[in-house]
């Protein structure tokens, strides 16, 4: 695999205990989506390849998985030195790959590991890095580069969405939070090529020594994994309001979430806060109750597939992104919703 005329987009696969983190597949989806948006906006009708980088030990199966999630190529380092993530070791392998293949764009998950790796790589490569992107478009070409990555992220405490372009430094790097983009449907019949990359310089690891490892039980019960979220804002008035919303969440098999206003008021824990300084979610259904829709909240939930908003103020900004808006008092609307869902579930049908 050598540098071709096609735009080369690379994405990092993050592995924990022999399994790929789902953000890895979301990055491949994000790469293809960025090209599609560029073409749609008339910016960049280019040919491109998406290459997933897999570094680890005994990770051949993960390389195949990357192809089924949409990678054209996989750049694979399967090496006993890489069994556990250590920045120095992974960066060493990545740097050699980058030197040899010079990708145009490199996307990494904005996870603890990804942030560690991305910042180190950007410093080593003297590349620009846009962190925590919420939108990406492959824009018009510039000088000898086929196309530019236009990466958008909240700036100035979320009061502004800034689109950042790295005109000269390469690769153009960006991190993306989990659940901001959607992975492609897994397709085992997809064809791609796995390139086994040989790291030439010997690995050095004199900075970090792993003395013991302890794994936390995989937390899949959090709001970031929920299909249905019922979220409350300051309009719920206090902890009692949350009890009502929790009842709706329970009958719908969903999870309760809140805005920062509720966390600041000590009504709920930060664990279930959605937004810029909380979690990013993309459930099938997000029911926002008594939430005004401040931009710092919206960046954490605006990619939900369907949004229902309940607010007594018809001009609340949340309605501008809602699929269904209910103007009313949540203390009247939510009990009615609970009753309707219960009635449907018991086979009586909705009124
Ligand atoms: P409000 O804006 O006060 O809205 C309450 C809404 O409830 C109003 O629209 C009102 O009409 C409605 N209402 C009142 N009573 C009823 C009723 N009975 N029935 C129906 N509707 C009713 N916010 C986040 O959520 N997440 C973040 O991660 C986050 N990070 C931030 C980071 C920074 C750096 C900054 C500066 C701010 C951040 N914020 C965050 C705060 C954000 O700016 C807003 O202040 C916050 O989201 C507002 O929360 P809210 O919608 O619950 O409250």
């Amino acid at each position: 695999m050598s540098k071709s005329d096609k735009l080369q987009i690379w994405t990092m696969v993050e592995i924990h205990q022999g399994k790929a983190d789902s953000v890895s597949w979301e990055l491949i989806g994000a790469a293809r989506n960025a090209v599609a948006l560029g073409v749609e906006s008339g910016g960049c009708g280019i040919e491109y390849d998406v290459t997933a980088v897999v570094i680890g030990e005994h990770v051949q199966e993960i390389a195949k998985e990357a192809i089924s999630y949409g990678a054209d190529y996989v750049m694979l380092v399967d090496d006993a030195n890489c069994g556990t993530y250590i920045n120095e070791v992974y960066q060493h392998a990545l740097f050699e790959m980058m030197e040899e293949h010079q990708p145009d764009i490199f996307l990494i998950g904005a996870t603890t590991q990804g942030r560690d790796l991305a910042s180190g790589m950007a410093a080593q490569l003297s590349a620009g890095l846009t962190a925590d992107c919420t939108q990406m478009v492959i824009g018009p070409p510039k000088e000898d580069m086929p196309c530019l990555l236009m990466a958008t992220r909240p700036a100035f405490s979320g009061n502004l969405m800034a689109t950042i372009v790295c005109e000269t430094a390469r690769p153009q790097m960006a991190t993306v939070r989990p659940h901001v983009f959607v992975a492609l449907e897994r397709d085992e019949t997809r064809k791609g090529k796995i390139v086994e990359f040989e790291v030439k310089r010997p690995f050095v690891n004199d900075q970090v020594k792993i003395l013991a490892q302890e794994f936390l039980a995989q937390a899949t019960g959090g709001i970031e994994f929920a299909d249905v979220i019922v979220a409350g804002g300051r309009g719920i008035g206090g902890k009692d309001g949350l009890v009502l919303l929790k009842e709706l969440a329970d009958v719908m098999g969903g999870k309760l979430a809140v805005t920062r206003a509720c966390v600041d008021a000590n009504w709920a824990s930060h664990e279930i806060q959605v937004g810029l300084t909380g979690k990013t979610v993309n459930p099938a259904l997000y029911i926002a109750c008594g939430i005004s829709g401040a931009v710092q909240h919206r960046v954490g939930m605006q990619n939900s597939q369907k949004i229902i908003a309940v607010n007594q103020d018809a001009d609340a900004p949340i309605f501008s992104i809602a699929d269904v808006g209910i103007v009313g008092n949540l203390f009247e609307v939510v009990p009615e919703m609970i009753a309707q869902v219960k009635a449907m579930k018991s086979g009586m049908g909705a009124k």
Side-chain angles (χ1 to χ4, degrees):
M1 194 186 155
S2 60
K3 177 90 179 151
S4 75
D5 290 341
K6 290 183 181 176
L7 185 77
Q8 298 299 323
I9 310 175
W10 283 24
T11 65
M12 187 71 202
V13 174
E14 181 167 331
I15 301 167
H16 295 282
Q17 293 177 265
K19 283 205 178 117
D21 191 294
S22 56
V23 72
S24 315
W25 314 141
E26 291 161 16
L27 290 174
I28 297 173
R32 296 209 177 276
N33 187 50
V35 176
L37 286 176
V39 173
E40 248 173 54
S41 58
C44 206
I46 35 108
E47 288 195 74
Y48 69 103
D49 290 320
V50 176
T51 298
V53 178
V54 174
I55 300 177
E57 188 185 10
H58 307 310
V59 285
Q60 287 279 350
E61 285 308 310
I62 293 180
K64 288 182 198 156
E65 217 182 339
I67 291 170
S68 69
Y69 276 106
D72 302 306
Y73 291 92
V74 174
M75 193 63 69
L76 174 69
V77 175
D78 199 330
D79 191 297
N81 287 293
C82 303
T84 303
Y85 172 77
I86 294 175
N87 177 294
E88 195 183 9
V89 172
Y90 275 47
Q91 210 169 302
H92 175 92
L94 263 175
F95 187 69
E96 276 201 13
M97 280 184 200
M98 299 267 166
E99 265 189 327
E100 195 171 320
H101 294 281
Q102 298 178 19
D104 301 303
I105 294 169
F106 186 32
L107 308 179
I108 304 181
T111 56
T112 308
Q113 183 176 310
R115 286 180 166 137
D116 180 54
L117 188 62
S119 52
M121 280 310 299
Q124 192 174 5
L125 294 161
S126 299
L129 170 66
T130 309
D132 289 359
C133 300
T134 53
Q135 180 68 274
M136 289 187 289
V137 180
I138 308 285
K142 186 98 182 172
E143 288 160 13
D144 62 335
M145 279 296 301
C147 289
L148 288 171
L149 175 69
M150 297 159 72
T152 302
R153 55 149 298 147
F156 296 106
S157 306
N159 289 309
L160 195 87
M161 297 306 282
T163 298
I164 297 169
V165 177
C166 290
E167 291 196 337
T168 50
R170 294 295 174 264
Q172 305 164 77
M173 291 180 63
T175 63
V176 173
R177 281 211 220 177
H179 309 294
V180 169
F181 289 91
V182 180
L184 305 180
E185 210 54 54
R186 184 179 176 144
D187 177 359
E188 306 282 352
T189 64
R190 265 194 109 262
K191 297 271 177 281
K193 189 171 174 201
I194 298 175
V195 179
E196 301 218 15
F197 183 81
E198 195 195 325
V199 182
K200 281 136 205 114
R201 292 187 283 266
F203 282 102
V204 179
N205 176 25
D206 51 16
Q207 305 284 324
V208 176
K209 195 165 261 153
I210 296 176
L211 301 178
Q213 289 193 75
E214 200 174 315
F215 298 105
L216 298 173
Q218 218 192 354
T220 51
I223 53 171
E224 58 273 46
F225 301 98
D227 270 344
V228 176
I229 290 179
V230 179
R234 206 191 314 265
I236 60 167
K239 284 186 179 169
D240 289 349
L242 280 179
V243 175
L244 179 66
L245 297 194
K246 174 84 170 58
E247 192 183 344
L248 178 59
D250 286 346
V251 292
M252 297 194 69
K255 294 271 174 207
L256 179 71
V258 291
T259 64
R260 177 159 153 181
C262 300
V263 177
D264 289 347
N266 238 346
W267 300 342
S269 108
H270 180 255
E271 267 300 287
I272 60 168
Q273 179 188 315
V274 171
L276 187 64
T277 45
K279 289 182 174 162
T280 304
V281 296
N282 60 359
L285 177 62
Y286 191 92
I287 307 180
C289 305
I291 294 177
S292 59
V295 66
Q296 295 91 349
H297 184 74
R298 294 208 308 255
V299 293
M301 47 67 75
Q302 63 199 2
N303 288 335
S304 303
Q305 289 156 47
K306 279 271 175 288
I307 298 171
I308 299 177
V310 183
N311 197 305
Q312 62 190 11
D313 173 7
D315 296 324
I318 192 77
F319 287 130
S320 67
I321 57 160
D323 298 283
V324 177
I326 303 172
V327 180
N329 182 345
L330 74 91
F331 294 101
E332 290 164 13
V333 177
V334 173
E336 183 59 25
M337 283 175 154
I338 295 169
Q340 294 265 348
V341 176
K342 281 185 176 166
M344 275 194 277
K345 280 180 133 179
S346 66
M348 289 160 62
K351 277 187 265 174

